[in-house]
Amino acid sequence: MILKISVFLVIIHVSVQLTEIQDWDLAVTINDQIKLLTRNGSVVGATLSFTRLKALTFDNVRHQFIASDMNQQNDTIYSISLKEEGNYNNPIVQDLPDDIQGLAIDPLTDILYWTDPKYKSIHSVSLNDPTKTEIFMQFEEKEPQDLAIDSCRRYLYFTNGFNDRPSIDRIDLNTKKHEVIVDSGLHTPVGIAIDYVAKKLYWSDSGPGIYFRIETATLEGKEREIVIYDTHQRPFGLAVDSEFIYWTDINNNALWKRKKNHGGSKASGRFPLKHFEERPQGLIAKHLGFAGTPDCENIMNLTREYNESTTEFYEHFVEPVTEQMEFHCFNNGKATGNGCLCPKGYVGPFCEIPLCHNYCMHGQCGFTANGYPKCTCNTGYIGSRCEIYVCDNFCLNNGTCTQDSIEIWGAKCNCTAKFMGSRCEINVNNICHKFCKNQLEEPKDIKCNCSATIDIEIIDQNLTNPLRPQEIKIPKHSLIEQLQDPTVLILSICMLVSLCLSSILLVYVCKMKKGKGRPRVNKRIIVNKNITPLTYRPQSTTQECEITIENCCNMNVCETPCFEPPQLRRKSAKDEKKTLLTNMENPDELC
């Protein structure tokens, strides 16, 4: 009987110890505190005596938190033990000039790692000798943010928020080999966490504008998948357990939760687990699934050895305000056995998401009979979300746009003098030109007077911009208008062809006349030398010289310039010679 009672007391003692160790599931840094929560959002404890906490990690083997406390000038890294009584806030590294974004501890080697995005580096220190800090890895184009360590498989993962090339990277702790496992489709990755059981990696990414998303992939960066894609949040810390994904939202000061295998859309199923007065940042989940994982056998053995050597357990947390966790529906939702029955305009597991939040850009939001949001736009805006300004590129031809709720488009154009119409798209000059040229039916809204000076008057006074009677000088018959007439066009073509033929004939005649002109004289005539009187005939063939027609002219024999008579061209060379000699002997007949 005594033996049975002893066994029963031992079982109760072990159960109490497990209850004390596992009475919290989540830890989050909020300003100067680390708050401990259950998976349902109940606060079960909180630390004190810090300035402004940010990054956070947890040593599952030694049951201690490690957090960075940032004052006005520098950072200090503290360890907060759950298994030591007394002074449990122990500074590890002090007076760091950096803004620490991420922390991770390797329980097998007892080495702590932290990121320094400002100096593009990851640092490390051994908890056995915290006086010696080292630069674990230095980068040129990396800005490491958060850290997650896979002690089972010996990898250190981190998010790189470098603007030009954001990525998800990992480093082999044994060889320090660095590799990029995800480098596309990222904007500003921040938080990162490891699911040891499923062997998956999770990270949060603040997208452009109001968008954010949480993605997952294998530990090698394969089989990438978007888990959550939504708006109006800015995630910072990220944690996972066997069933849920948790993340801190520094825009709304909230801690969010969603099932990992949620079957709905990527924007549904998530709900705020807890709202805080201060901004929540660092986040960790206590149960990471080491037990039963073959790769993590070394860690489990180390955990058992450490727990056997430690006989007492103390929780150095202040008593929290008693909170009664009840199933509560927001926004007048009604609690049912399966969840909340939400009123029209609200969705979510607790009716916490208003459909009208930031839905209408320039208008008032209401709901249809089926509960869908509907916008009533302000004057000057249209579209399903009142996102279109009616005056954007509405008035043409330099018209001035004004908002008018009476008009069908909600806009009214004041046109310049030469244009009219609801958008100033009608050119008044073109209408009267066509009317006066073709004598068509006179336009209803415009009165045209087809004279040398055409008078235009707009008759319809309901137009957006009635024009005053004015005189517009328009040529009655321009060349372009005449060419539009088929008869005139045919006559013009005939005249052009005739002109071309005449030009060709004229060129031909000129060439013929030029061919009948005086040819150039290149003849050479042999005459006697040393005979002064030109009337003498040559005496002998030994006293001959050459003389050309040009030389004859230069000798001033004749009073008029020499020329070759036209008939010389028809004679032979012998006849030409005789004629020239005869003319030289009888100069009176030539001059």
Side-chain angles (χ1 to χ4, degrees):
M1 185 67 181
I2 296 174
L3 181 61
K4 291 182 179 180
I5 294 173
S6 301
V7 172
F8 180 71
L9 292 176
V10 170
I11 294 174
I12 292 176
H13 177 69
V14 173
S15 300
V16 170
Q17 280 194 329
L18 291 176
T19 303
E20 289 177 339
I21 294 174
Q22 297 181 359
D23 58 355
W24 63 273
D25 301 306
L26 301 169
V28 58
T29 58
I30 304 171
N31 199 18
D32 61 345
Q33 295 181 329
I34 299 176
K35 287 194 174 184
L36 304 182
L37 298 88
T38 65
R39 296 174 68 182
N40 294 327
S42 299
V43 178
V44 296
T47 64
L48 295 176
S49 304
F50 291 102
T51 304
R52 187 153 59 98
L53 298 172
K54 192 171 187 179
L56 180 67
T57 189
F58 184 69
D59 184 352
N60 287 275
V61 174
R62 296 165 182 83
H63 301 280
Q64 62 179 349
F65 289 108
I66 297 178
S68 65
D69 188 20
M70 181 172 54
N71 58 28
Q72 295 180 355
Q73 296 180 352
N74 49 43
D75 279 17
T76 299
I77 300 177
Y78 287 95
S79 65
I80 305 99
S81 176
L82 300 181
K83 304 204 75 173
E84 294 180 5
E85 187 177 13
N87 223 353
Y88 60 95
N89 290 353
N90 301 315
I92 301 174
V93 183
Q94 302 184 54
D95 299 329
L96 292 172
D98 317 316
D99 183 10
I100 298 174
Q101 296 289 324
L103 286 167
I105 186 170
D106 181 9
L108 292 179
T109 60
D110 218 11
I111 294 178
L112 176 68
Y113 301 89
W114 69 90
T115 60
D116 184 357
K118 182 178 179 180
Y119 293 99
K120 299 181 174 60
S121 59
I122 297 176
H123 298 256
S124 65
V125 65
S126 173
L127 297 185
N128 299 321
D129 186 7
T131 60
K132 297 180 180 180
T133 61
E134 297 180 355
I135 297 178
F136 178 69
M137 187 158 290
Q138 184 73 51
F139 307 99
E140 293 183 358
E141 295 183 346
K142 301 281 184 183
E143 293 181 1
Q145 302 291 321
D146 197 12
L147 289 173
I149 193 166
D150 184 358
S151 298
C152 304
R153 302 165 189 88
R154 313 303 299 155
Y155 280 103
L156 180 66
Y157 294 85
F158 68 93
T159 51
N160 165 38
F162 190 64
N163 289 334
D164 293 339
R165 285 178 292 277
S167 61
I168 309 296
D169 300 37
R170 73 176 183 178
I171 303 172
D172 191 321
L173 293 176
N174 296 326
T175 63
K176 284 192 176 183
K177 178 184 177 182
H178 169 236
E179 59 180 326
V180 178
I181 60 175
V182 179
D183 61 355
S184 62
L186 298 172
H187 189 268
T188 310
V190 184
I192 190 168
I194 298 175
D195 185 346
Y196 290 91
V197 177
K199 297 183 180 179
K200 284 202 169 185
L201 192 68
Y202 288 83
W203 67 87
S204 60
D205 188 5
S206 296
I210 61 175
Y211 295 94
F212 82 96
R213 60 187 177 185
I214 295 176
E215 298 186 70
T216 184
T218 64
L219 297 177
E220 293 76 27
K222 309 298 182 182
E223 301 176 13
R224 184 177 174 183
E225 179 185 358
I226 298 177
V227 181
I228 299 172
Y229 184 74
D230 210 343
T231 59
H232 300 97
Q233 291 189 36
R234 187 181 172 189
F236 185 85
L238 185 69
V240 295
D241 60 16
S242 58
E243 187 177 358
F244 292 97
I245 306 171
Y246 308 90
W247 68 96
T248 55
D249 173 16
I250 61 178
N251 269 1
N252 303 293
N253 293 346
L255 173 63
W256 294 79
K257 169 183 176 180
R258 185 180 189 261
K259 282 190 174 183
K260 291 192 295 186
N261 57 352
H262 180 73
S265 66
K266 294 178 176 58
S268 64
R270 52 123 179 108
F271 60 93
L273 186 63
K274 189 73 176 176
H275 284 280
F276 305 99
E277 294 182 359
E278 304 288 344
R279 174 181 291 180
Q281 298 195 66
L283 175 67
I284 57 100
K286 181 178 180 181
H287 304 289
L288 300 179
F290 291 112
T293 304
D295 295 334
C296 300
E297 185 176 355
N298 292 336
I299 296 179
M300 294 306 301
N301 293 333
L302 181 63
T303 303
R304 282 193 294 268
E305 293 175 2
Y306 187 82
N307 289 338
E308 290 175 358
S309 63
T310 305
T311 58
E312 295 184 0
F313 174 79
Y314 302 94
E315 278 201 358
H316 304 285
F317 291 94
V318 297
E319 290 295 330
V321 178
T322 303
E323 294 187 8
Q324 184 66 30
M325 184 62 187
E326 296 180 354
F327 193 71
H328 179 72
C329 298
F330 299 97
N331 301 306
N332 298 322
K334 295 181 180 180
T336 63
N338 298 324
C340 291
L341 181 62
C342 300
K344 184 168 59 177
Y346 295 91
V347 295
F350 298 98
C351 307
E352 76 280 4
I353 305 174
L355 293 177
C356 273
H357 180 64
N358 290 338
Y359 184 77
C360 300
M361 298 181 64
H362 300 281
Q364 294 73 41
C365 182
F367 297 98
T368 64
N370 296 327
Y372 294 104
K374 181 181 180 181
C375 294
T376 302
C377 300
N378 299 333
T379 301
Y381 292 91
I382 58 174
S384 60
R385 299 184 61 191
C386 306
E387 73 278 11
I388 302 173
Y389 182 52
V390 293
C391 279
D392 286 344
N393 300 321
F394 183 76
C395 298
L396 307 176
N397 299 307
N398 298 323
T400 303
C401 180
T402 57
Q403 301 175 15
D404 191 345
S405 59
I406 300 176
E407 296 293 328
I408 186 172
W409 291 103
K412 182 178 180 180
C413 293
N414 296 321
C415 306
T416 58
K418 296 181 181 180
F419 297 91
M420 58 176 288
S422 60
R423 299 185 62 194
C424 306
E425 74 278 10
I426 302 173
N427 190 326
V428 179
N429 294 355
N430 293 341
I431 294 176
C432 284
H433 284 185
K434 294 179 180 179
F435 167 72
C436 294
K437 175 182 175 297
N438 300 318
Q439 295 298 318
L440 301 176
E441 182 180 355
E442 187 173 7
K444 295 181 180 180
D445 302 332
I446 303 173
K447 184 177 180 180
C448 301
N449 184 10
C450 299
S451 58
T453 300
I454 298 179
D455 294 332
I456 301 174
E457 180 180 359
I458 296 180
I459 300 174
D460 189 358
Q461 299 299 324
N462 295 323
L463 294 175
T464 58
N465 184 26
L467 298 178
R468 296 181 180 179
Q470 55 182 317
E471 290 187 355
I472 301 178
K473 294 183 179 181
I474 303 173
K476 191 170 183 180
H477 298 290
S478 64
L479 177 61
I480 296 177
E481 291 177 347
Q482 292 178 2
L483 291 177
Q484 292 177 354
D485 191 343
T487 305
V488 175
L489 182 62
I490 294 174
L491 292 176
S492 300
I493 294 174
C494 293
M495 292 177 62
L496 183 62
V497 173
S498 301
L499 181 61
C500 292
L501 293 175
S502 301
S503 301
I504 294 172
L505 183 61
L506 181 61
V507 171
Y508 179 75
V509 171
C510 291
K511 287 185 176 180
M512 292 297 294
K513 289 183 178 182
K514 185 176 181 181
K516 294 181 179 181
R518 178 172 61 88
R520 184 176 180 180
V521 179
N522 292 322
K523 303 292 183 180
R524 292 191 176 189
I525 307 301
I526 304 299
V527 297
N528 293 334
K529 297 187 295 183
N530 301 325
I531 303 296
T532 302
L534 295 177
T535 56
Y536 289 177
R537 293 182 179 274
Q539 299 299 322
S540 66
T541 58
T542 60
Q543 297 179 348
E544 293 180 351
C545 67
E546 286 186 340
I547 186 171
T548 62
I549 298 300
E550 287 82 5
N551 289 337
C552 174
C553 294
N554 293 334
M555 290 162 54
N556 295 325
V557 177
C558 304
E559 294 180 359
T560 60
C562 298
F563 65 92
E564 182 182 12
Q567 61 271 20
L568 292 179
R569 292 190 301 105
R570 301 185 185 94
K571 297 178 181 181
S572 62
K574 186 176 180 180
D575 293 336
E576 288 178 353
K577 180 178 178 181
K578 291 181 179 180
T579 303
L580 179 60
L581 293 175
T582 303
N583 292 338
M584 293 174 64
E585 293 175 356
N586 301 300
D588 294 336
E589 295 179 2
L590 295 173
C591 302

